[in-house]
Amino acid sequence: DSARFDFAEAHERLEVKTAVGPDRQHKFSSRQLPPSDGIDLDVCSIVTDEVLGGVSVISLFEDIQNLLGPTKGSRNVGRNFAAYFQRGETLCESLLFDVQQARDTRAIFLSDQIPSPELGDGVLRANWESDLTALTPAASATTGLGRLLLPEAK
């Protein structure tokens, strides 16, 4: 179950989604949402722009791993990110993004806030894209992992 998510510890899961451009449009799968019984899931949404001098998305994920600390379980972010986008890891490292914008737009959404389709009888798996742009981010996170990534109060 934990392999479906970017970060996992005990019964907590954290999925980090990134979007380029002004909208919080992210891809999900029925293996992620809804979470299995007994699993608490937070989604961290980051919106940023591609720039000539910035950091890679893989570096952003590694920064998140550093925030969460060494005891938090995680996937091999670089390899899994590259596989997900069906690009080589080198290419993923060469795509650079505005890190300050990524930090400023970081928002936590609870799993039950994410628009998800209902799967009919006989449907085994589905993938979809949800637009979170008009949703209000959660004031608090369900998981300790999510609380570590909540934007600081300004």
Side-chain angles (χ1 to χ4, degrees):
D1 184 64
S2 63
R4 301 174 196 167
F5 303 98
D6 293 315
F7 300 93
E9 182 175 67
H11 67 280
E12 298 182 349
R13 304 292 182 266
L14 177 66
E15 183 65 16
V16 179
K17 300 291 188 179
T18 57
V20 176
D23 298 318
R24 291 185 187 279
Q25 296 175 345
H26 303 297
K27 294 180 181 179
F28 294 93
S29 80
S30 57
R31 296 193 66 196
Q32 296 174 318
L33 291 171
S36 302
D37 289 341
I39 298 296
D40 295 323
L41 169 65
D42 289 328
V43 175
C44 179
S45 169
I46 296 172
V47 179
T48 189
D49 288 316
E50 192 171 344
V51 295
L52 292 177
V55 300
S56 70
V57 171
I58 293 172
S59 294
L60 289 175
F61 273 70
E62 289 169 347
D63 287 346
I64 290 169
Q65 176 66 55
N66 290 335
L67 279 173
L68 296 176
T71 63
K72 311 299 185 218
S74 72
R75 297 188 284 172
N76 179 322
V77 173
R79 188 177 325 150
N80 285 295
F81 178 81
Y84 179 77
F85 286 101
Q86 299 177 352
R87 298 177 179 181
E89 189 168 342
T90 303
L91 178 58
C92 289
E93 280 287 357
S94 69
L95 300 172
L96 302 178
F97 299 91
D98 183 336
V99 69
Q100 190 59 51
Q101 182 185 24
R103 289 180 182 142
D104 291 345
T105 63
R106 186 179 59 207
I108 296 290
F109 295 90
L110 308 181
S111 61
D112 60 3
Q113 289 182 272
I114 309 297
S116 304
E118 289 194 32
L119 302 182
D121 292 340
V123 178
L124 301 177
R125 289 193 183 99
N127 297 305
W128 66 91
E129 190 166 347
S130 291
D131 190 345
L132 313 184
T133 307
L135 300 179
T136 302
S140 63
T142 303
T143 68
L145 296 171
R147 282 189 288 279
L148 290 171
L149 296 183
L150 278 173
E152 297 177 27
K154 297 187 180 186

